[in-house]
Amino acid sequence: MTISSIISAIGNNNSVYPLLVRDCGIENPIKVALTYKQNKEDPEVAKLATRERLIDEYATSAVWLGGIPLIDLISNWIIKKKGFNPNINPKLFEEGSLQGLNYNIKKFEKTAPDAVKDLIKLANPENQKYYKKLLSLKFLASTAIPIAFMGFILPKMIFASSARRIEKLKKERQAANKTMPQPIMRPNFAAPKRDILDSFTSNKINQVAFTGFSLAKLATVSTQDKMMITDGGYTVGRVATSRKKNEAIDVGFRLSGMMFLNFVAPKWIEKFLNKVSGVELDPIMLADKAFKEKIQKGTIKLPVNDTPEMLLKFVDENPDSLFVKFANKFKKIKMLDNGIRDPRAYVNFDDLGKFRNSIADFITNAPTGKNLNRYILKAKILKGTNILANVGISSFLLAYALPKATFAFRKLVTGSDLEPGLAPDVLAAKKNN
């Protein structure tokens, strides 16, 4: 794998790679270290809090980054066993003037007969209804199972383990107090304001519902989007299973910030950096020799404009073009091995149109002659720098700024720096009887 490929992968904010780099490689170790530092006022609390954070962060990452793709694989295998192709996008059931189930059957019946067979099977209303149910179950499985484990089962397991250790500490202190009683100062955990508490623990949190969405359609969203949905359920679960009211507030604040910084902020940062640098093309494309040569010769073919009609017309008539090659590589479209557009896939015209325009803008701004090589190299370096900067900024916000903000919020609400779910019980166990 080339450096350009690696940078491209971690810069794709619609994939799991940036999350993998930030989550496991940068954020988790820093979060664990900060947790210990924040609770070091009390060694027992610090030890238990660090242990809980270490198990929680890495177990959650394993389920979050590996669980959803694995469940998707199993679900797709089951759908295939039922006689359907799981790659058929249910958006095709809504017939349009340029793509749709029946439209694609007629358009591709000679050029992609095997793919069309999959579509013909779903032309039957009963089969289509059953397929939608299978996709809905796939979506529920790939979100509900991780939510149940990360949001409810895992915290209960961690809490039970900590409770046993606290009970052991209590017995040890009771035995020690019989011979050497020592008064232990206990921080004053102020009760939170009721309006703050209600905002996190109200029963309204359980009234969230999907409206205007089809579960079958949601089954086709990207892995990262499923992670975002799962993260929302995970947050609800963690608030609901919190041991103390103050912990519910603490967890709600932290996880809400984490959702924003994981799924929204990186895209905002990417958009800002792209605008400042004027470079939107992927490093892989900028490093491609054929792309550079065609710019030099002025022979790059692009759709006439970004209208849906012109985009599909170009793709279907120019399957060997660089535009189609990279559109397929970056998953703007899906091509079959024989060079025909896959009739089972749905084309997002907005994404494809933006891709076309970004190439056209780059070509328009590119100089001619010897300066072209320097221009492309500069663009490649700028784009790579933007990607690494995005990862760095996002990681800093998630690994350092958010924990620090959470600690400050905790101090404001509870009056203490210590973990609100652990500290009261640990300090009670250490208190003289």
Side-chain angles (χ1 to χ4, degrees):
M1 181 178 283
T2 65
I3 294 177
S4 295
S5 298
I6 295 172
I7 294 176
S8 172
I10 65 174
N12 182 0
N13 283 310
N14 291 313
S15 76
V16 302
Y17 295 110
L19 298 174
L20 183 63
V21 172
R22 293 198 307 261
D23 205 53
C24 295
I26 302 174
E27 296 163 27
N28 289 354
I30 296 176
K31 288 177 182 176
V32 171
L34 287 177
T35 297
Y36 177 81
K37 183 179 179 181
Q38 185 67 18
N39 291 277
K40 66 180 182 179
E41 174 188 332
D42 188 285
E44 282 81 8
V45 175
K47 181 179 178 181
L48 284 175
T50 304
R51 177 179 175 274
E52 285 193 351
R53 181 55 55 86
L54 182 67
I55 296 172
D56 188 19
E57 292 294 342
Y58 280 100
T60 298
S61 294
V63 175
W64 200 44
L65 296 170
I68 293 176
L70 177 61
I71 293 171
D72 274 350
L73 286 174
I74 296 173
S75 299
N76 287 342
W77 179 80
I78 293 173
I79 292 173
K80 288 179 182 178
K81 294 292 286 186
K82 295 294 182 180
F84 300 102
N85 189 315
N87 297 317
I88 298 175
N89 196 309
K91 292 179 181 179
L92 294 175
F93 300 154
E94 300 173 3
E95 294 292 339
S97 59
L98 293 174
Q99 57 182 335
L101 192 67
N102 294 317
Y103 178 90
N104 284 5
I105 288 174
K106 293 179 181 178
K107 180 177 177 63
F108 294 96
E109 60 182 347
K110 293 182 179 179
T111 54
D114 291 336
V116 166
K117 287 179 183 178
D118 293 332
L119 297 180
I120 291 174
K121 186 175 292 186
L122 291 179
N124 181 307
E126 289 301 315
N127 286 344
Q128 189 175 127
K129 184 178 179 181
Y130 186 52
Y131 180 70
K132 287 181 179 179
K133 287 183 178 179
L134 290 174
L135 288 184
S136 297
L137 291 173
K138 172 185 175 180
F139 171 76
L140 290 173
S142 62
T143 53
I145 294 175
I147 286 172
F149 181 80
M150 294 189 300
F152 296 90
I153 298 173
L154 179 61
K156 288 294 185 182
M157 292 170 61
I158 293 174
F159 296 162
S161 177
S162 292
R164 289 192 296 270
R165 292 171 184 270
I166 292 172
E167 184 61 26
K168 181 180 178 182
L169 173 65
K170 182 178 180 181
K171 291 179 180 179
E172 290 174 351
R173 285 305 173 107
Q174 286 175 342
N177 285 340
K178 291 180 180 179
T179 56
M180 287 183 63
Q182 292 181 344
I184 303 248
M185 299 300 293
R186 182 177 179 180
N188 179 26
F189 285 84
K193 295 180 181 179
R194 191 66 207 175
D195 55 344
I196 298 176
L197 175 63
D198 289 343
S199 68
F200 282 94
T201 60
S202 169
N203 289 332
K204 291 180 180 179
I205 202 166
N206 296 318
Q207 298 174 2
V208 179
F210 291 106
T211 57
F213 287 96
S214 163
L215 288 180
K217 287 182 183 178
L218 285 173
T220 64
V221 300
S222 68
T223 298
Q224 201 220 31
D225 287 336
K226 287 179 184 175
M227 287 178 177
M228 183 169 60
I229 295 168
T230 302
D231 221 29
Y234 157 66
T235 299
V236 171
R238 286 305 176 93
V239 172
T241 57
S242 294
R243 292 163 289 191
K244 312 288 181 184
K245 292 180 180 179
N246 283 342
E247 185 178 44
I249 298 173
D250 198 75
V251 168
F253 180 88
R254 175 170 58 86
L255 294 185
S256 297
M258 187 183 72
M259 285 187 64
F260 173 78
L261 293 177
N262 259 328
F263 300 107
V264 180
K267 294 184 178 180
W268 287 4
I269 296 170
E270 178 186 28
K271 186 176 181 180
F272 171 76
L273 292 175
N274 286 346
K275 185 174 181 180
V276 171
S277 66
V279 182
E280 294 191 12
L281 297 185
D282 191 277
I284 292 178
M285 197 167 184
L286 293 170
D288 188 80
K289 293 181 179 179
F291 178 66
K292 182 176 70 174
E293 289 174 0
K294 286 186 176 293
I295 293 179
Q296 286 175 328
K297 297 176 181 178
T299 57
I300 284 188
K301 293 182 179 179
L302 293 175
V304 175
N305 53 48
D306 61 1
T307 61
E309 294 82 3
M310 290 296 102
L311 290 171
L312 284 191
K313 177 180 172 64
F314 183 89
V315 169
D316 293 337
E317 293 180 358
N318 301 274
D320 296 325
S321 66
L322 272 179
F323 174 79
V324 172
K325 169 190 170 183
F326 283 111
N328 181 51
K329 184 175 184 62
F330 300 138
K331 298 183 179 180
K332 311 296 181 184
I333 55 174
K334 185 177 181 181
M335 303 296 289
L336 298 173
D337 291 339
N338 63 358
I340 302 298
R341 178 166 57 89
D342 191 341
R344 297 164 298 193
Y346 183 83
V347 179
N348 185 316
F349 295 123
D350 288 338
D351 282 351
L352 189 59
K354 289 177 182 177
F355 181 62
R356 178 261 174 209
N357 292 339
S358 65
I359 298 174
D361 291 342
F362 185 84
I363 295 172
T364 299
N365 295 326
T368 57
K370 295 181 179 179
N371 291 329
L372 178 61
N373 288 338
R374 186 182 302 170
Y375 178 79
I376 293 178
L377 178 61
K378 181 181 177 182
K380 180 182 172 182
I381 293 173
L382 278 174
K383 185 61 178 180
T385 302
N386 287 351
I387 290 172
L388 296 177
N390 195 344
V391 172
I393 293 170
S394 300
S395 297
F396 171 79
L397 293 174
L398 276 160
Y400 187 82
L402 179 59
K404 285 294 186 180
T406 302
F407 298 151
F409 181 73
R410 175 189 302 169
K411 181 78 171 180
L412 176 67
V413 173
T414 70
S416 171
D417 292 321
L418 303 180
E419 291 288 328
L422 280 170
D425 291 339
V426 173
L427 296 175
K430 293 165 61 177
K431 187 178 180 181
N432 284 323
N433 293 319

